Amino acid sequence: MNLKHEMRVLGVDDSPLVARDVLVVGALFRGAEWLDGVMRTYLTRDGLDATERIAEMMCSSKHHTQMRAVLLDGITYGGFNVVDIHALYDSTSVPVIAVMRDFPDLESMHRALQHVSEPEHRYSLILKAGGFTKVITRDETRPLYIQTAGIEPEDGAHIVRRTTLHANIPEPLRVAHMISSAMVLGESSGKA
Amino acid sequence: MNLKHEMRVLGVDDSPLVARDVLVVGALFRGAEWLDGVMRTYLTRDGLDATERIAEMMCSSKHHTQMRAVLLDGITYGGFNVVDIHALYDSTSVPVIAVMRDFPDLESMHRALQHVSEPEHRYSLILKAGGFTKVITRDETRPLYIQTAGIEPEDGAHIVRRTTLHANIPEPLRVAHMISSAMVLGESSGKA
């Protein structure tokens, strides 16, 4: 591993919903193996501030200019707080790759959104995020699906594969999840 | 890297002192490269509960029985809350290795303890922790010093070297420090 030339990729995940303010953690990796930095922010459960809060966290980081991409765990955070991945790219200049473990069921998402404010606005952000690209990482039977902003899907898929090591999700997302769940629950919960 | 056969080592670090309750984070590694779990607890700034709180965190972890050793960042946490490393070993059955970046100045530690309650009791725990063993990791000019409980100093030194990768401190401590400082400050502060 040549650390100097490894690309920096940020993984961002939220934590279990226990309060109105939801902890969100960013884990910045060099390549797939070296954790270079950790950051956190809070956003509102079922709110409309996910894009803004995550953009603020990224832009105020000392690592901001080095970030090659940001990996999101899907595009809804803190319940139904939907990230506008194109606006996130526009405000951070960092390419965005939203990673999903299952092909999203848009119809049931649309139904679920009816329980919170501005369902059609939220749904429009999900649709606006664009088509889904299938990515095979380590296990052919468990593909991932990505939506991207500011980067071609093939390049996004390449970054996802490059940062995926022993688990079935990229290391930055795996570690961001461990940290955020441990802070709220006392110990990290699994996700692999 | 053969993950299955890599030993599990926990690194425990505290966070910057911003409140009476001080966040303490445990980062559990398999070998030097794979973060296997994260846990947290709180202890009292300048209190006397460090040993008990860290023991509780370790014993309530699902990884407890697999822990081959715990690495501490020195033996004072949350200000002057001194860990009794022998008591920590007795209550967890996990060998304890306290790691220091500088050879401790016991006299000035003794003086500093006069500002908190029970200074002689705290100082006795520092002395009871035992002699210091010098450990050369990656950089000959920056040796580490360890105190151990439940493990011979040479075996402790071996674990410190095995878990030290690119930085001058073991990965479990480096990562625990990044997480704890990020949670309190918003972004991790360096230590390498």
Side-chain angles (χ1 to χ4, degrees):
Chain A
M1 161 169 61
N2 185 331
L3 280 178
K4 278 227 175 81
H5 300 98
E6 287 284 349
M7 63 181 173
R8 258 79 157 191
V9 176
L10 182 71
V12 176
D13 201 5
D14 58 2
S15 53
L17 303 174
V18 293
R20 185 173 170 278
D21 288 334
V22 179
L23 173 70
V24 169
V25 170
L28 185 81
F29 270 71
R30 268 193 265 183
E33 299 197 359
W34 185 251
L35 182 62
D36 223 12
V38 178
M39 57 202 76
R40 63 110 176 92
T41 189
Y42 295 91
L43 46 78
T44 311
R45 179 174 182 165
D46 295 336
L48 296 159
D49 57 358
T51 311
E52 196 185 336
R53 289 289 98 75
I54 294 172
E56 278 171 4
M57 177 178 79
M58 291 171 61
C59 290
S60 64
S61 165
K62 60 190 170 199
H63 301 283
H64 176 217
T65 58
Q66 301 173 318
M67 293 175 188
R68 174 76 183 79
V70 54
L71 301 169
L72 302 182
D73 182 45
I75 66 170
T76 58
Y77 278 69
F80 294 108
N81 203 332
V82 184
V83 179
D84 180 339
I85 64 171
H86 299 284
L88 183 60
Y89 170 65
D90 288 341
S91 53
T92 63
S93 302
V94 177
V96 181
I97 307 165
V99 181
M100 281 139 281
R101 258 153 291 227
D102 298 294
F103 194 88
D105 178 348
L106 292 177
E107 207 176 295
S108 75
M109 283 174 98
H110 189 224
R111 261 199 314 276
L113 288 173
Q114 305 308 314
H115 301 287
V116 289
S117 69
E118 305 188 39
E120 297 311 323
H121 168 63
R122 296 175 200 256
Y123 191 61
S124 74
L125 298 181
I126 294 174
L127 295 182
K128 182 183 154 196
F132 300 94
T133 300
K134 187 173 172 174
V135 184
I136 305 284
T137 58
R138 300 175 54 244
D139 181 350
E140 246 182 74
T141 67
R142 294 160 71 202
L144 300 173
Y145 300 90
I146 61 171
Q147 289 174 295
T148 61
I151 184 171
E152 292 301 317
E154 309 83 71
D155 297 329
H158 176 70
I159 289 177
V160 166
R161 281 191 298 266
R162 277 271 301 271
T163 53
T164 300
L165 210 60
H166 302 281
N168 196 44
I169 55 166
E171 278 298 286
L173 282 179
R174 190 184 71 87
V175 167
H177 174 78
M178 281 201 292
I179 297 171
S180 60
S181 60
M183 291 308 119
V184 168
L185 303 175
E187 182 166 14
S188 48
S189 63
K191 182 191 266 189
Chain B
M1 164 168 60
N2 186 331
L3 280 179
K4 277 227 175 80
H5 298 98
E6 287 284 349
M7 61 180 175
R8 258 81 155 190
V9 174
L10 182 71
V12 176
D13 201 3
D14 58 2
S15 53
L17 303 174
V18 293
R20 187 174 169 275
D21 288 335
V22 179
L23 173 70
V24 169
V25 169
L28 187 81
F29 270 73
R30 269 193 263 183
E33 301 196 359
W34 185 251
L35 183 62
D36 223 13
V38 177
M39 57 201 77
R40 63 109 175 95
T41 187
Y42 295 92
L43 46 78
T44 311
R45 177 174 182 165
D46 295 335
L48 296 159
D49 57 358
T51 312
E52 195 183 337
R53 289 290 99 74
I54 294 171
E56 279 171 6
M57 177 179 77
M58 291 171 61
C59 291
S60 65
S61 165
K62 61 189 170 200
H63 301 284
H64 177 217
T65 57
Q66 301 173 317
M67 294 175 189
R68 173 75 184 79
V70 56
L71 300 169
L72 302 182
D73 182 44
I75 66 170
T76 59
Y77 278 69
F80 294 108
N81 203 332
V82 184
V83 178
D84 181 339
I85 64 172
H86 299 283
L88 183 60
Y89 170 64
D90 289 342
S91 54
T92 62
S93 302
V94 177
V96 182
I97 306 165
V99 180
M100 281 139 281
R101 258 153 290 227
D102 299 292
F103 195 88
D105 179 347
L106 292 176
E107 208 176 294
S108 75
M109 282 175 99
H110 190 223
R111 262 199 312 276
L113 288 173
Q114 304 308 315
H115 300 287
V116 290
S117 69
E118 305 189 39
E120 297 312 322
H121 168 62
R122 296 174 200 255
Y123 192 59
S124 74
L125 297 180
I126 293 174
L127 295 182
K128 184 183 155 196
F132 300 94
T133 301
K134 187 172 170 173
V135 184
I136 306 284
T137 58
R138 299 176 54 243
D139 182 348
E140 247 181 72
T141 67
R142 295 160 71 202
L144 300 173
Y145 300 90
I146 61 171
Q147 290 173 294
T148 61
I151 184 171
E152 292 301 318
E154 308 83 72
D155 297 330
H158 176 70
I159 289 176
V160 167
R161 281 191 299 264
R162 277 272 301 271
T163 53
T164 300
L165 211 58
H166 302 280
N168 196 44
I169 56 166
E171 278 299 286
L173 283 179
R174 188 183 72 85
V175 167
H177 173 79
M178 281 200 293
I179 298 171
S180 59
S181 60
M183 291 308 120
V184 167
L185 303 176
E187 181 165 16
S188 48
S189 63
K191 183 190 265 186

